[in-house]
Amino acid sequence: MHAKTLRPLIAGLVLGLLANTASLAASLEQMAGQMIIVGFKGDSVKDKSVIALRKAVAEGRVGGVMYLKYNVASLSAVKAMNEAFKEASPELPPFLTLDQEGGSVERLTKDVGFPEIPNAQTVAARNDPAGAQAIYAGMAKDMAALGFTVNFGPVVDLNINPKNLIIAKYGRAFSKDPATVDAYAQAFINAHHAEGMLTSIKHFPGHGSSTADSHAGFVDITKTWSEAELQPYKDLLAGGYDDFVMVGHLYHKDYDGGGQRLPASLSPDWITGVLRGQLGYNGVVISDDLEMGAIRKRFTLKETVIQAVNAGMDVLLFSNTAAYDPALSDEILGILVAQAGKDPNFAKRIEESYGRIVALKGRIGG
């Protein structure tokens, strides 16, 4: 059997062992806390919100933090915050995350002295995959030096709709050809892995053919989406990819949770059925920001959290930008713990997610 074929099998076995061992040592609240990545205010270790978030990390009430551009006052300040977050939980390190794709989607910019790179479309047009990997290697090295552990990329959407408002408009896709996307995505992933960083392929099941922006509201891909958009996921997973898969807030009537009009991020049809069932993915599933209009305008926080977990989501990502709330992560945690107390199957889902998260965190820096 080929090594790449064995890797997912071995990972599954290890994940199961870690889940059983880890869950015995952690409380339900600690397990649920690892499922939460949240955005924050502040750009210094001395900021009140950063101090509070560091405490939440130390107590296991939050599993990771998400940086946005306003959190970056200087590279030295970012490094100090990341070191503080890591020191808060050295045995189970937090996911220290950001979107650093290149082009217009960057949190670290030349304004603070971070070398910027072109968007994915430009990188693919000007470089072969080896050249692209060299570009991404430089970026990943600089990010790792600042203490980041997760970059939310690469985008593996196909550049199908040239009028796409969120992918094509910003050149975020490598190509409309699945094989080309696979090659350049692998270059991006390899570069980050070489620096001990994790990645997240996105936006499952495919945002490239959409005609609307999920940041703003409801996005129906029923008439535009095709199975070709799953091909990069099939290719990368077949090669052993098992960091994160980020699921978008994309609605398709044939995968809407049995007539519930659920977007992919809340739909068991997509996450449990297609991603885990058909594609055989055993790694960590993370949501796109659950405060985007496509979610926030249609579901309450409680509905969002419970439905996402029941659908098979492992990590709930909240930018905390819609209406900043310093208590947001505690509210999410309260919903998770309360629902687990009512529903044994929900509690089991939390244990499953915790096992996957612990296994993935074991690879940080490796």
Side-chain angles (χ1 to χ4, degrees):
M1 189 177 287
H2 197 280
K4 286 186 176 180
T5 306
L6 274 174
R7 187 180 176 194
L9 176 62
I10 294 169
L13 293 171
V14 171
L15 186 152
L17 290 171
L18 283 168
N20 291 335
T21 304
S23 61
L24 290 173
S27 68
L28 177 66
E29 186 176 73
Q30 289 171 325
M31 286 190 281
Q34 289 301 309
M35 299 175 70
I36 302 168
I37 293 181
V38 68
F40 62 101
K41 290 287 187 182
D43 55 18
S44 163
V45 289
K46 297 178 181 180
D47 186 274
K48 284 184 180 179
S49 62
V50 175
I51 292 169
L53 186 54
R54 186 181 185 277
K55 186 172 185 286
V57 170
E59 294 173 352
R61 292 183 286 113
V62 167
V65 303
M66 176 188 184
Y67 279 74
L68 292 168
K69 199 169 286 187
Y70 55 65
N71 299 122
V72 181
S74 69
L75 298 184
S76 59
V78 167
K79 185 174 183 179
M81 286 190 289
N82 280 337
E83 287 174 351
F85 289 134
K86 285 182 178 178
E87 288 169 1
S89 182
E91 293 185 2
L92 194 56
F95 291 128
L96 302 175
T97 77
L98 79 170
D99 286 288
Q100 191 75 14
E101 298 174 14
S104 62
V105 183
E106 295 181 312
R107 309 307 180 217
L108 305 168
T109 66
K110 61 184 180 182
D111 293 340
V112 291
F114 192 90
E116 295 186 17
I117 67 168
N119 61 34
Q121 185 174 333
T122 302
V123 168
R126 295 178 180 173
N127 303 271
D128 62 10
Q133 185 163 326
I135 291 170
Y136 291 126
M139 181 178 74
K141 183 178 181 180
D142 291 340
M143 291 170 63
L146 295 174
F148 287 103
T149 58
V150 181
N151 187 3
F152 291 140
V155 170
V156 297
D157 297 319
L158 303 185
N159 196 27
I160 293 170
N161 175 15
K163 295 182 180 180
N164 183 288
L165 297 171
I166 194 61
I167 304 300
K169 181 179 179 180
Y170 300 104
R172 296 173 68 191
F174 290 112
S175 173
K176 64 180 179 181
D177 172 57
T180 302
V181 170
D182 175 40
Y184 285 91
Q186 193 63 64
F188 185 106
I189 293 163
N190 290 344
H192 285 73
H193 283 182
E195 296 298 332
M197 288 190 66
L198 301 171
T199 59
S200 178
I201 56 177
K202 61 185 184 182
H203 307 80
F204 183 86
H207 213 322
S209 64
S210 67
T211 56
D213 179 1
S214 54
H215 291 81
F218 186 70
V219 177
D220 188 343
I221 59 171
T222 304
K223 294 181 180 179
T224 59
W225 184 86
S226 71
E227 287 210 11
E229 295 180 63
L230 292 179
Q231 195 59 48
Y233 296 95
K234 292 177 180 177
D235 293 340
L236 290 165
L237 300 190
Y241 180 84
D242 58 357
D243 290 5
F244 289 96
V245 171
M246 179 178 283
V247 182
H249 312 311
L250 307 162
Y251 170 79
H252 191 300
K253 70 178 181 61
D254 295 337
Y255 303 87
D256 70 347
Q260 297 184 73
R261 290 180 64 77
L262 298 173
S265 54
L266 306 185
S267 172
D269 294 344
W270 277 121
I271 300 173
T272 303
V274 177
L275 183 54
R276 295 215 187 278
Q278 291 180 27
L279 303 188
Y281 182 61
N282 293 314
V284 176
V285 178
I286 186 171
S287 70
D288 204 346
D289 178 16
L290 288 167
E291 287 194 321
M292 287 184 185
I295 299 296
R296 187 168 40 84
K297 290 180 179 180
R298 297 184 58 217
F299 305 94
T300 65
L301 179 62
K302 183 177 180 180
E303 289 169 342
T304 298
V305 170
I306 293 174
Q307 188 60 56
V309 174
N310 279 332
M313 192 70 69
D314 296 311
V315 175
L316 310 172
L317 177 65
F318 285 86
S319 65
N320 203 359
T321 54
Y324 179 71
D325 179 3
L328 176 63
S329 60
D330 283 335
E331 190 174 353
I332 297 164
L333 182 59
I335 294 168
L336 290 168
V337 173
Q339 187 64 20
K342 300 174 189 175
D343 182 354
N345 289 329
F346 193 87
K348 185 179 179 182
R349 273 288 306 109
I350 290 175
E351 288 188 28
E352 290 170 353
S353 291
Y354 179 74
R356 294 188 188 107
I357 292 164
V358 169
L360 186 56
K361 286 191 169 187
R363 288 168 43 201
I364 289 176

